[in-house]
Amino acid sequence: MKKPAVFMLSLVCTFSLVFSGCSPEVKTYTDADTLIECQAGDEFIVALPANPSTGYSWEFQSVSSKIYLVEKTYTPDNADNTLVGGGGTEYFRLKALDIDETEFWFYYSRPWDSVPLETLVINLKVS
């Protein structure tokens, strides 16, 4: 009775190991990239230098419903976080939902500013 259970468990573990490394690598772009080309369903990351301790952060905006913001995270440059006022990088994980040619924007500003300090426009071509 134990042999089928052990066989089934080993089969599940084998498949898990084989297929766990099959997910495609998520490409990361920076503020130097003004054109992103990908396939429908692909996820990609836009990494932008930021310093939220000054009140500034990046905000994502798109008029297309075919691009989706999966998550926004921040990683400080100083790993132990002891540098007061130190900057880091904001990461925007985005997903191209369908075929489209559009553009999207990132605005670097403080919540109380009416005009952003910086604007970044990225063109997206999804095939």
Side-chain angles (χ1 to χ4, degrees):
M1 186 109 128
K2 283 187 175 184
K3 284 185 181 182
V6 170
F7 174 73
M8 195 60 133
L9 181 60
S10 65
L11 190 61
V12 168
C13 289
T14 301
F15 277 108
S16 296
L17 289 173
V18 169
F19 291 108
S20 65
C22 291
S23 62
E25 184 177 324
V26 177
K27 184 157 171 121
T28 300
Y29 298 89
T30 66
D31 54 346
D33 296 302
T34 57
L35 173 65
I36 296 175
E37 296 183 70
C38 64
Q39 302 293 315
D42 285 356
E43 288 189 7
F44 56 92
I45 295 172
V46 177
L48 302 172
N51 191 345
S53 67
T54 62
Y56 285 94
S57 67
W58 288 98
E59 293 302 322
F60 165 79
Q61 184 178 5
S62 174
V63 294
S64 175
S65 61
K66 296 180 182 177
I67 183 169
Y68 174 72
L69 176 63
V70 176
E71 73 176 338
K72 175 183 173 183
T73 58
Y74 173 77
T75 302
D77 289 338
N78 186 2
D80 63 4
N81 259 347
T82 58
L83 184 60
V84 176
T89 305
E90 284 187 293
Y91 296 93
F92 293 82
R93 187 178 188 107
L94 302 160
K95 183 171 186 169
L97 300 175
D98 203 354
I99 296 172
D100 196 9
E101 286 191 36
T102 188
E103 61 185 19
F104 56 91
W105 306 268
F106 291 98
Y107 298 103
Y108 192 59
S109 64
R110 297 177 295 196
W112 57 86
D113 289 338
S114 58
V115 177
L117 181 65
E118 190 174 341
T119 301
L120 175 65
V121 180
I122 297 179
N123 294 292
L124 178 66
K125 183 177 181 180
V126 182
S127 51

